[in-house]
Each structure stands twice: as structure tokens, then as C-alpha cells.
Amino acid sequence: MGVSVSDTRRLNIHLESVQPSATYRVMDCVAARRAAGASVISLSAGEPDFDTPEHVREAGIAAIRAGHTRYTQVAGLRALREAIATKFRRENGLEVSWQDTLVCSGGKQVIYNALAATLNEGDEVIVPAPYWVSYPEMVQLCGGKPVVVPCGSETGFKLTPQKLADAITPRTRWVILNSPSNPTGAVYTRTELLALATVLLDCPHVLVLSDDIYEHLIFDGAAFHTIAQVEPRLRECTLTMNGVSKAYAMTGWRIGFGTGPRWLLDAMEKLQGQQTSGACTISQHAAVAALTGPRDFIDSSRAVFQKRRDMMVKLLNDTPGLGCEVPAGAFYAFASCEGLIGKTTPAGTVLHTDEDVAMALLDEAGVAVVHGSAFGLGPYIRIAYALDDASLRRACEAVQGFCRSLVSAT
């Protein structure tokens, strides 16, 4: 008996249940509309609009000219790992050596490798919502079960100790913390992290994944804290991940890194050795320059983003049907669109969900945003204010015009 065509097309059962990235889906829609000649202002992409600092770009060019274009060690160049260790010691108070670090092809790979190296079928991962769209999908791809814990505006979109304690079971393997948060910009204070740590100290079977990728984008002079810093007793069960993508406008260079217990890093390195091997050599040399060079870019870009935040929050709160809390960090506004639900657009579309709102904004106002339900909480829309002021104002004016044109149901 031969093998049927349908048998050969079977997918991995975990992949079949995973949704494509909502963020990239919107970006694809924007690209298609622009290719067709439409004018679209995209507030969907989670990347700074600034150029990579010149000294970092020059380091990449110098690496090419010097012939640094061959494989590196799976865990990364020693020079970069030493720079990463210095960064963790200097900025986060984590006393680590270069052997306690791992370099990956982007922050996303750090997270995926950690989950893939540790999850077995049915293991649970606590994911506070709103969440970055990839967290639950990665968990499912690795055979785990995402346990989504709703964290609404009443808690500042942050996980509370009681919600954490209620979500932990004997099957819990990880809890994911993201501060500043994508999509809300929420930032955990030292006191809040200590309260969560108190719960976790009583649950030694639970690992902590601290996603600190937006570390340097905190506003109003507030300090950044990470959980392994505020509670050193959690260091042996915490993976602290970061990267150069947001702080140094290096999203396309694809360099992420992490530190944690040696047994976990060894497992992640073993996995990566059979997967992608070392990250791009040229990008690693550029990352060394970023981490060891001038830091004025971080301060200047933060100031620009804070100014944009203030402008966006005001404009959004002046828009009928929208409401926006002031984000403490990152470069996202997470605006409630509850006041738009049930209304009808000039084109006759009834807005039943936040996804309807996002699609109508794209189709009828030429502004691309991502619907909040993709991040686990609706009805909201996520707006990335990583564009120049003039473009942001035009986008807000288009959104305001769209919202004022809506007709309420009779």
C-alpha cells in the first residue's frame, strides 16, 4: 500500500495550533497596500525609526573588511560575551562572568531556546495578558500549555502576587515577565517585583523568564529593575534576556542575549548548536561596539520617545471613542477602543471587535495598528509611536477623522 498525499502533508501537531504573528500579518497588509499604490501610515511595527548609531555601523563594516565573516562559537564571540557580562554587572547588578552568557540570533531566539530546552508535554507557562504575541505561540510550539492570566487596566496591566499565586500549579514550569511591556508600556517597580518574588521563592519548581528588551526605554526619570536583581535568591531559576535591537536601533542585526543558571545556558547552547549555530559574525562585532561604545544615543532616543508618548496620549485621549493610559516605557500606546464598538463606518462596516476597528482604520483611514485581542486583551488597539512627529500627527488626525465619522446604531 502506498503513502497518500494527505499523509505526506501532515504538520507537526503543535505547529497546526499556532497562529501566525498578528504584528507581521499587519505589516504584510501594509506592504501589499503600498505596493498597490495606497498611502498608509504604519503604527504597527515594533522597531525604532532611528538609524543604527554610526559607530556601530562602522564596526560592522570594519568586520567585513577585516574578513570576520566566518563561523563563531555557538554561544557567541568571547569579546561580545565579555561585553554582555559587563553590561549585566554595570547596569543590572548581576555578578556574572562571560561564561554565564549566551548570544542568539535575536531576542526571540533566546526565549524560544529556553522554552524548547525545558518544556515537556503539558508543562504550563504563566503568561500575563496583555502579552507579546509570540509568548503563547512559542509555548505551544514547544509542547507546553500557556496559562494566560488577564491583567487589566485596574492593575496597570501588571501581574499581581495574588494572581500569580492563583495561577501556579505543580505543572508550572515558567512565568514570563516583560517590563517595560509590549504592548502596554507598563513597568514593574522594585516593590512590585519584590512582591512577585516572595511568591516565587515558595515555588522552587517555577522558572522565571525576564524579558528586559525595552530596558532603556523608561520615562519620567524612573529607574529600571529586573527580578534577579531585586531578589538575588531567584538568580538560579531566572533567565534574564535582553538585546541590542531596541536600545540601539538594531532590529535587523538580530542579536539577543541572556544570562541565567549555567545548566540552562548549556542546554540552550546545545539546542542552538543543532539549530542555527552562532549568530551572524558581523552583527556580533557591531554589538560589541554598541555595548562598549558611547551611550548618548540611548539618552537622546529616550527623550524623543517620551516627547512622542506625551503627544500621542493627548491626541488619542482627545479622540472620541478612544481612551489611553499613560505608558511608563517602551514605545507603544495601548488605547481602549470600547467606545467604538457597535458603531458603523462610512463604508458601512459595523465594528463588532477591536480587530474590526484595526482593519477599518487601515482600509478607510490609511492607518495601520494592531488589534489588542492579538495581545490577549480587547477591545484595545496597539499603536507604535516609532515614527517622526509629523507622521504621527497625520496618523492621529486620520484616526480622529475616522472616529468622528462613525455612526451609532439606532
Side-chain angles (χ1 to χ4, degrees), residues 41-96:
I41 301 175
S42 180
L43 307 180
S44 59
E47 62 180 348
D49 57 312
F50 309 115
D51 287 334
T52 302
E54 184 175 3
H55 73 280
V56 178
R57 285 180 278 154
E58 289 301 320
I61 294 169
I64 295 172
R65 288 178 173 155
H68 298 316
T69 56
R70 301 185 183 277
Y71 295 133
T72 70
Q73 300 92 332
V74 171
L77 289 169
R78 172 151 179 184
L80 178 53
R81 296 174 71 189
E82 288 179 339
I84 291 166
T86 299
K87 172 260 182 297
F88 279 128
R89 292 193 300 268
R90 179 184 67 235
E91 298 178 359
N92 307 118
L94 301 179
E95 290 302 320
V96 300

CSV table of all heavy atoms in Angstrom, one decimal, residues 41-96:
chain,number,residue,atom,x,y,z
A,41,ILE,N,0.0,55.0,6.7
A,41,ILE,CA,0.9,55.3,7.8
A,41,ILE,C,0.9,54.1,8.7
A,41,ILE,O,-0.1,53.8,9.3
A,41,ILE,CB,0.5,56.6,8.5
A,41,ILE,CG1,0.5,57.8,7.5
A,41,ILE,CG2,1.5,56.9,9.7
A,41,ILE,CD1,-0.1,59.1,8.2
A,42,SER,N,2.0,53.5,8.9
A,42,SER,CA,2.1,52.3,9.7
A,42,SER,C,2.5,52.6,11.1
A,42,SER,O,3.6,53.1,11.4
A,42,SER,CB,3.0,51.2,9.1
A,42,SER,OG,3.0,50.1,9.9
A,43,LEU,N,1.6,52.3,12.1
A,43,LEU,CA,1.9,52.4,13.5
A,43,LEU,C,1.9,51.0,14.1
A,43,LEU,O,1.5,50.8,15.2
A,43,LEU,CB,0.9,53.2,14.2
A,43,LEU,CG,0.7,54.6,13.6
A,43,LEU,CD1,-0.4,55.4,14.4
A,43,LEU,CD2,1.9,55.4,13.6
A,44,SER,N,2.4,50.0,13.3
A,44,SER,CA,2.3,48.6,13.7
A,44,SER,C,3.6,48.0,14.1
A,44,SER,O,3.6,47.0,14.9
A,44,SER,CB,1.6,47.8,12.6
A,44,SER,OG,2.4,47.9,11.4
A,45,ALA,N,4.7,48.4,13.5
A,45,ALA,CA,6.0,47.8,13.7
A,45,ALA,C,6.6,48.2,15.0
A,45,ALA,O,6.7,49.3,15.4
A,45,ALA,CB,6.9,48.1,12.5
A,46,GLY,N,7.1,47.2,15.7
A,46,GLY,CA,7.8,47.4,17.0
A,46,GLY,C,9.3,47.6,16.9
A,46,GLY,O,10.1,46.9,17.4
A,47,GLU,N,9.7,48.7,16.1
A,47,GLU,CA,11.1,48.9,16.0
A,47,GLU,C,11.3,50.4,15.9
A,47,GLU,O,10.5,51.2,15.3
A,47,GLU,CB,11.7,48.2,14.8
A,47,GLU,CG,11.1,48.6,13.4
A,47,GLU,CD,11.7,47.9,12.3
A,47,GLU,OE1,12.8,47.3,12.5
A,47,GLU,OE2,11.2,48.0,11.2
A,48,PRO,N,12.4,50.9,16.5
A,48,PRO,CA,12.7,52.3,16.4
A,48,PRO,C,12.9,52.8,15.0
A,48,PRO,O,13.4,52.0,14.1
A,48,PRO,CB,14.1,52.4,17.2
A,48,PRO,CG,14.1,51.2,18.1
A,48,PRO,CD,13.4,50.1,17.3
A,49,ASP,N,12.6,54.0,14.7
A,49,ASP,CA,12.7,54.6,13.4
A,49,ASP,C,14.0,55.2,13.1
A,49,ASP,O,14.3,55.7,12.1
A,49,ASP,CB,11.6,55.6,13.1
A,49,ASP,CG,11.6,56.7,14.1
A,49,ASP,OD1,11.6,56.4,15.3
A,49,ASP,OD2,11.5,57.9,13.7
A,50,PHE,N,14.9,55.2,14.2
A,50,PHE,CA,16.2,55.8,14.0
A,50,PHE,C,17.2,54.9,13.3
A,50,PHE,O,17.0,53.7,13.3
A,50,PHE,CB,16.8,56.2,15.4
A,50,PHE,CG,15.9,56.9,16.3
A,50,PHE,CD1,15.4,56.4,17.5
A,50,PHE,CD2,15.5,58.2,16.0
A,50,PHE,CE1,14.5,57.1,18.3
A,50,PHE,CE2,14.6,58.9,16.8
A,50,PHE,CZ,14.1,58.4,17.9
A,51,ASP,N,18.2,55.5,12.7
A,51,ASP,CA,19.3,54.7,12.2
A,51,ASP,C,20.2,54.1,13.3
A,51,ASP,O,20.3,54.7,14.4
A,51,ASP,CB,20.2,55.6,11.3
A,51,ASP,CG,19.6,55.9,9.9
A,51,ASP,OD1,18.7,55.2,9.5
A,51,ASP,OD2,19.9,57.0,9.4
A,52,THR,N,20.7,53.0,13.1
A,52,THR,CA,21.7,52.4,14.0
A,52,THR,C,22.8,53.4,14.2
A,52,THR,O,23.3,54.1,13.2
A,52,THR,CB,22.3,51.1,13.4
A,52,THR,OG1,21.2,50.2,13.2
A,52,THR,CG2,23.3,50.5,14.4
A,53,PRO,N,23.3,53.7,15.4
A,53,PRO,CA,24.4,54.7,15.6
A,53,PRO,C,25.6,54.4,14.6
A,53,PRO,O,25.9,53.3,14.3
A,53,PRO,CB,24.8,54.5,17.0
A,53,PRO,CG,23.5,54.0,17.7
A,53,PRO,CD,22.9,53.1,16.7
A,54,GLU,N,26.2,55.5,14.2
A,54,GLU,CA,27.2,55.4,13.2
A,54,GLU,C,28.4,54.6,13.6
A,54,GLU,O,28.9,53.8,12.8
A,54,GLU,CB,27.7,56.8,12.8
A,54,GLU,CG,28.7,56.8,11.7
A,54,GLU,CD,29.1,58.2,11.2
A,54,GLU,OE1,28.6,59.2,11.9
A,54,GLU,OE2,29.9,58.3,10.3
A,55,HIS,N,28.8,54.7,14.9
A,55,HIS,CA,30.0,53.9,15.3
A,55,HIS,C,29.7,52.4,15.3
A,55,HIS,O,30.6,51.6,15.1
A,55,HIS,CB,30.5,54.4,16.6
A,55,HIS,CG,29.6,54.0,17.8
A,55,HIS,ND1,28.5,54.6,18.1
A,55,HIS,CD2,29.8,52.9,18.7
A,55,HIS,CE1,27.9,54.0,19.2
A,55,HIS,NE2,28.7,53.0,19.5
A,56,VAL,N,28.4,52.1,15.4
A,56,VAL,CA,28.0,50.7,15.4
A,56,VAL,C,28.0,50.2,14.0
A,56,VAL,O,28.6,49.1,13.6
A,56,VAL,CB,26.7,50.5,16.1
A,56,VAL,CG1,26.3,49.0,16.0
A,56,VAL,CG2,26.7,50.9,17.5
A,57,ARG,N,27.5,51.0,13.1
A,57,ARG,CA,27.5,50.6,11.6
A,57,ARG,C,28.9,50.5,11.1
A,57,ARG,O,29.3,49.5,10.4
A,57,ARG,CB,26.8,51.7,10.8
A,57,ARG,CG,25.2,51.6,11.0
A,57,ARG,CD,24.6,52.7,10.1
A,57,ARG,NE,24.6,54.0,10.9
A,57,ARG,CZ,24.5,55.2,10.3
A,57,ARG,NH1,24.5,55.3,9.0
A,57,ARG,NH2,24.5,56.3,11.0
A,58,GLU,N,29.8,51.4,11.5
A,58,GLU,CA,31.2,51.3,11.1
A,58,GLU,C,31.9,50.1,11.6
A,58,GLU,O,32.8,49.5,10.9
A,58,GLU,CB,31.9,52.6,11.5
A,58,GLU,CG,31.5,53.9,10.8
A,58,GLU,CD,31.7,53.8,9.3
A,58,GLU,OE1,32.8,53.2,8.9
A,58,GLU,OE2,30.9,54.2,8.5
A,59,ALA,N,31.5,49.7,12.8
A,59,ALA,CA,32.1,48.4,13.4
A,59,ALA,C,31.7,47.2,12.5
A,59,ALA,O,32.5,46.3,12.3
A,59,ALA,CB,31.7,48.2,14.8
A,60,GLY,N,30.5,47.2,12.0
A,60,GLY,CA,30.1,46.1,11.2
A,60,GLY,C,30.8,46.2,9.8
A,60,GLY,O,31.2,45.1,9.3
A,61,ILE,N,31.0,47.3,9.3
A,61,ILE,CA,31.7,47.5,8.0
A,61,ILE,C,33.2,47.0,8.2
A,61,ILE,O,33.7,46.3,7.4
A,61,ILE,CB,31.6,48.9,7.5
A,61,ILE,CG1,30.2,49.3,7.1
A,61,ILE,CG2,32.6,49.1,6.3
A,61,ILE,CD1,29.9,50.7,6.9
A,62,ALA,N,33.7,47.5,9.3
A,62,ALA,CA,35.1,47.1,9.6
A,62,ALA,C,35.3,45.6,9.8
A,62,ALA,O,36.3,45.0,9.3
A,62,ALA,CB,35.6,47.8,10.9
A,63,ALA,N,34.3,45.0,10.3
A,63,ALA,CA,34.4,43.5,10.5
A,63,ALA,C,34.4,42.8,9.1
A,63,ALA,O,35.1,41.8,8.9
A,63,ALA,CB,33.2,43.0,11.3
A,64,ILE,N,33.6,43.3,8.2
A,64,ILE,CA,33.6,42.7,6.9
A,64,ILE,C,34.9,42.9,6.2
A,64,ILE,O,35.5,42.0,5.6
A,64,ILE,CB,32.5,43.4,6.0
A,64,ILE,CG1,31.1,43.1,6.6
A,64,ILE,CG2,32.6,42.9,4.6
A,64,ILE,CD1,29.9,43.8,5.9
A,65,ARG,N,35.5,44.1,6.3
A,65,ARG,CA,36.7,44.4,5.6
A,65,ARG,C,37.9,43.7,6.3
A,65,ARG,O,38.9,43.3,5.6
A,65,ARG,CB,37.0,45.9,5.7
A,65,ARG,CG,36.1,46.7,4.8
A,65,ARG,CD,36.3,48.2,4.9
A,65,ARG,NE,35.5,48.9,3.9
A,65,ARG,CZ,35.2,50.2,4.0
A,65,ARG,NH1,35.5,50.9,5.1
A,65,ARG,NH2,34.5,50.8,3.1
A,66,ALA,N,37.8,43.3,7.5
A,66,ALA,CA,38.8,42.6,8.2
A,66,ALA,C,38.7,41.1,8.0
A,66,ALA,O,39.5,40.3,8.5
A,66,ALA,CB,38.8,42.9,9.7
A,67,GLY,N,37.6,40.7,7.3
A,67,GLY,CA,37.4,39.3,7.0
A,67,GLY,C,36.8,38.5,8.1
A,67,GLY,O,36.9,37.2,8.1
A,68,HIS,N,36.1,39.2,9.0
A,68,HIS,CA,35.4,38.5,10.1
A,68,HIS,C,34.0,38.0,9.6
A,68,HIS,O,33.0,38.5,10.0
A,68,HIS,CB,35.2,39.4,11.3
A,68,HIS,CG,36.5,39.9,11.9
A,68,HIS,ND1,37.6,39.0,12.1
A,68,HIS,CD2,36.9,41.1,12.3
A,68,HIS,CE1,38.6,39.7,12.7
A,68,HIS,NE2,38.2,41.0,12.8
A,69,THR,N,34.1,37.1,8.7
A,69,THR,CA,32.9,36.6,8.1
A,69,THR,C,32.7,35.1,8.2
A,69,THR,O,32.0,34.5,7.4
A,69,THR,CB,32.9,37.0,6.6
A,69,THR,OG1,34.1,36.5,5.9
A,69,THR,CG2,32.8,38.5,6.4
A,70,ARG,N,33.3,34.5,9.1
A,70,ARG,CA,33.3,33.0,9.3
A,70,ARG,C,32.5,32.7,10.5
A,70,ARG,O,32.0,33.5,11.3
A,70,ARG,CB,34.7,32.4,9.4
A,70,ARG,CG,35.5,32.8,8.1
A,70,ARG,CD,36.9,32.1,8.1
A,70,ARG,NE,37.7,32.4,7.0
A,70,ARG,CZ,37.5,31.9,5.8
A,70,ARG,NH1,36.7,30.9,5.6
A,70,ARG,NH2,38.3,32.3,4.8
A,71,TYR,N,32.3,31.4,10.7
A,71,TYR,CA,31.6,30.9,11.9
A,71,TYR,C,32.2,31.4,13.2
A,71,TYR,O,33.4,31.6,13.3
A,71,TYR,CB,31.6,29.4,12.0
A,71,TYR,CG,30.8,28.7,10.8
A,71,TYR,CD1,31.4,27.6,10.2
A,71,TYR,CD2,29.5,29.1,10.5
A,71,TYR,CE1,30.7,26.9,9.2
A,71,TYR,CE2,28.9,28.4,9.5
A,71,TYR,CZ,29.5,27.3,8.8
A,71,TYR,OH,28.8,26.7,7.8
A,72,THR,N,31.4,31.6,14.2
A,72,THR,CA,31.9,31.8,15.5
A,72,THR,C,31.4,30.6,16.4
A,72,THR,O,30.7,29.7,16.0
A,72,THR,CB,31.3,33.1,16.1
A,72,THR,OG1,29.9,32.9,16.4
A,72,THR,CG2,31.4,34.3,15.2
A,73,GLN,N,31.9,30.7,17.7
A,73,GLN,CA,31.4,29.7,18.6
A,73,GLN,C,29.9,29.8,18.7
A,73,GLN,O,29.3,30.9,18.6
A,73,GLN,CB,32.0,29.9,20.0
A,73,GLN,CG,33.5,29.8,20.0
A,73,GLN,CD,34.2,31.2,19.8
A,73,GLN,OE1,33.7,32.1,19.2
A,73,GLN,NE2,35.4,31.3,20.4
A,74,VAL,N,29.2,28.7,19.0
A,74,VAL,CA,27.8,28.6,19.1
A,74,VAL,C,27.3,29.7,20.1
A,74,VAL,O,26.3,30.4,19.8
A,74,VAL,CB,27.3,27.2,19.5
A,74,VAL,CG1,25.8,27.3,19.8
A,74,VAL,CG2,27.6,26.2,18.4
A,75,ALA,N,27.9,29.8,21.2
A,75,ALA,CA,27.5,30.7,22.3
A,75,ALA,C,27.8,32.2,22.0
A,75,ALA,O,27.4,33.1,22.8
A,75,ALA,CB,28.0,30.3,23.6
A,76,GLY,N,28.6,32.4,21.0
A,76,GLY,CA,29.0,33.8,20.6
A,76,GLY,C,30.4,34.1,20.8
A,76,GLY,O,31.2,33.4,21.5
A,77,LEU,N,30.9,35.2,20.2
A,77,LEU,CA,32.2,35.7,20.3
A,77,LEU,C,32.6,36.0,21.8
A,77,LEU,O,31.8,36.6,22.5
A,77,LEU,CB,32.4,37.0,19.5
A,77,LEU,CG,32.5,36.8,18.0
A,77,LEU,CD1,32.4,38.2,17.4
A,77,LEU,CD2,33.7,36.1,17.5
A,78,ARG,N,33.8,35.6,22.2
A,78,ARG,CA,34.1,35.9,23.6
A,78,ARG,C,34.1,37.4,23.9
A,78,ARG,O,33.6,37.8,25.0
A,78,ARG,CB,35.5,35.3,23.9
A,78,ARG,CG,36.0,35.8,25.3
A,78,ARG,CD,36.9,34.8,26.0
A,78,ARG,NE,37.3,35.3,27.3
A,78,ARG,CZ,38.2,34.7,28.0
A,78,ARG,NH1,38.7,33.6,27.7
A,78,ARG,NH2,38.5,35.3,29.2
A,79,ALA,N,34.6,38.2,22.9
A,79,ALA,CA,34.5,39.6,23.2
A,79,ALA,C,33.1,40.2,23.4
A,79,ALA,O,32.9,41.0,24.3
A,79,ALA,CB,35.2,40.4,22.0
A,80,LEU,N,32.2,39.6,22.7
A,80,LEU,CA,30.8,40.1,22.9
A,80,LEU,C,30.2,39.5,24.2
A,80,LEU,O,29.6,40.3,24.9
A,80,LEU,CB,29.9,39.6,21.7
A,80,LEU,CG,28.4,39.9,21.8
A,80,LEU,CD1,28.2,41.4,22.1
A,80,LEU,CD2,27.7,39.5,20.6
A,81,ARG,N,30.6,38.3,24.5
A,81,ARG,CA,30.1,37.7,25.8
A,81,ARG,C,30.7,38.5,27.0
A,81,ARG,O,30.0,38.7,28.0
A,81,ARG,CB,30.4,36.2,25.9
A,81,ARG,CG,29.6,35.5,24.8
A,81,ARG,CD,30.0,34.0,24.8
A,81,ARG,NE,29.5,33.3,25.9
A,81,ARG,CZ,29.9,32.0,26.2
A,81,ARG,NH1,30.8,31.4,25.5
A,81,ARG,NH2,29.4,31.5,27.3
A,82,GLU,N,31.9,38.9,26.9
A,82,GLU,CA,32.5,39.7,27.9
A,82,GLU,C,31.8,41.1,28.0
A,82,GLU,O,31.6,41.6,29.2
A,82,GLU,CB,34.0,39.9,27.7
A,82,GLU,CG,34.8,38.6,27.9
A,82,GLU,CD,36.3,38.8,27.7
A,82,GLU,OE1,36.6,39.7,26.9
A,82,GLU,OE2,37.1,38.0,28.2
A,83,ALA,N,31.5,41.7,26.9
A,83,ALA,CA,30.8,42.9,26.9
A,83,ALA,C,29.4,42.8,27.5
A,83,ALA,O,28.9,43.7,28.2
A,83,ALA,CB,30.7,43.5,25.5
A,84,ILE,N,28.7,41.7,27.2
A,84,ILE,CA,27.4,41.4,27.8
A,84,ILE,C,27.5,41.2,29.3
A,84,ILE,O,26.7,41.8,30.0
A,84,ILE,CB,26.8,40.2,27.1
A,84,ILE,CG1,26.4,40.5,25.7
A,84,ILE,CG2,25.5,39.7,27.9
A,84,ILE,CD1,26.1,39.2,24.8
A,85,ALA,N,28.5,40.5,29.7
A,85,ALA,CA,28.6,40.3,31.2
A,85,ALA,C,28.9,41.6,31.9
A,85,ALA,O,28.3,41.9,33.0
A,85,ALA,CB,29.8,39.3,31.5
A,86,THR,N,29.7,42.5,31.3
A,86,THR,CA,30.0,43.8,31.8
A,86,THR,C,28.7,44.6,31.9
A,86,THR,O,28.4,45.3,32.9
A,86,THR,CB,31.0,44.5,31.0
A,86,THR,OG1,32.2,43.8,31.0
A,86,THR,CG2,31.3,45.9,31.5
A,87,LYS,N,27.9,44.5,30.9
A,87,LYS,CA,26.6,45.2,30.8
A,87,LYS,C,25.7,44.8,32.0
A,87,LYS,O,25.1,45.6,32.7
A,87,LYS,CB,25.9,45.0,29.5
A,87,LYS,CG,24.4,45.5,29.4
A,87,LYS,CD,23.5,44.4,29.6
A,87,LYS,CE,22.0,44.8,29.6
A,87,LYS,NZ,21.6,45.8,30.6
A,88,PHE,N,25.6,43.4,32.2
A,88,PHE,CA,24.8,42.9,33.3
A,88,PHE,C,25.3,43.4,34.6
A,88,PHE,O,24.5,43.7,35.5
A,88,PHE,CB,24.7,41.4,33.2
A,88,PHE,CG,23.7,40.9,32.2
A,88,PHE,CD1,24.0,40.0,31.2
A,88,PHE,CD2,22.4,41.3,32.2
A,88,PHE,CE1,23.1,39.5,30.3
A,88,PHE,CE2,21.4,40.9,31.3
A,88,PHE,CZ,21.8,39.9,30.3
A,89,ARG,N,26.6,43.4,34.8
A,89,ARG,CA,27.2,43.8,36.1
A,89,ARG,C,26.9,45.3,36.3
A,89,ARG,O,26.5,45.7,37.4
A,89,ARG,CB,28.7,43.5,36.2
A,89,ARG,CG,29.0,42.0,36.2
A,89,ARG,CD,30.4,41.8,36.6
A,89,ARG,NE,31.4,42.4,35.7
A,89,ARG,CZ,31.9,41.7,34.6
A,89,ARG,NH1,31.6,40.5,34.4
A,89,ARG,NH2,32.8,42.3,33.8
A,90,ARG,N,27.2,46.1,35.3
A,90,ARG,CA,27.2,47.6,35.4
A,90,ARG,C,25.7,48.1,35.5
A,90,ARG,O,25.4,48.9,36.4
A,90,ARG,CB,27.8,48.2,34.2
A,90,ARG,CG,27.9,49.7,34.2
A,90,ARG,CD,28.4,50.3,32.9
A,90,ARG,NE,27.6,50.0,31.8
A,90,ARG,CZ,28.0,49.4,30.7
A,90,ARG,NH1,29.3,48.9,30.6
A,90,ARG,NH2,27.2,49.1,29.7
A,91,GLU,N,24.8,47.6,34.7
A,91,GLU,CA,23.5,48.1,34.6
A,91,GLU,C,22.5,47.4,35.5
A,91,GLU,O,21.5,48.0,35.8
A,91,GLU,CB,23.1,48.1,33.1
A,91,GLU,CG,23.9,49.0,32.2
A,91,GLU,CD,23.5,49.0,30.8
A,91,GLU,OE1,22.5,48.2,30.5
A,91,GLU,OE2,24.1,49.6,30.0
A,92,ASN,N,22.7,46.1,35.8
A,92,ASN,CA,21.7,45.4,36.4
A,92,ASN,C,22.1,44.8,37.7
A,92,ASN,O,21.3,44.1,38.4
A,92,ASN,CB,21.2,44.2,35.5
A,92,ASN,CG,20.7,44.8,34.1
A,92,ASN,OD1,21.3,44.4,33.1
A,92,ASN,ND2,19.7,45.6,34.1
A,93,GLY,N,23.3,45.0,38.1
A,93,GLY,CA,23.8,44.5,39.4
A,93,GLY,C,23.9,42.9,39.5
A,93,GLY,O,23.8,42.4,40.5
A,94,LEU,N,24.0,42.3,38.3
A,94,LEU,CA,24.1,40.8,38.3
A,94,LEU,C,25.6,40.4,38.1
A,94,LEU,O,26.2,40.7,37.1
A,94,LEU,CB,23.3,40.3,37.1
A,94,LEU,CG,21.8,40.6,37.1
A,94,LEU,CD1,21.1,40.1,35.8
A,94,LEU,CD2,21.1,40.1,38.3
A,95,GLU,N,26.1,39.8,39.1
A,95,GLU,CA,27.5,39.4,39.1
A,95,GLU,C,27.7,38.2,38.3
A,95,GLU,O,27.7,37.1,38.8
A,95,GLU,CB,28.0,39.3,40.6
A,95,GLU,CG,28.1,40.6,41.3
A,95,GLU,CD,29.0,41.6,40.6
A,95,GLU,OE1,30.1,41.2,40.1
A,95,GLU,OE2,28.6,42.8,40.6
A,96,VAL,N,27.9,38.4,37.0
A,96,VAL,CA,28.1,37.2,36.1
A,96,VAL,C,29.4,37.4,35.4
A,96,VAL,O,29.9,38.5,35.2
A,96,VAL,CB,26.9,37.1,35.1
A,96,VAL,CG1,25.6,36.9,35.8
A,96,VAL,CG2,26.8,38.4,34.2
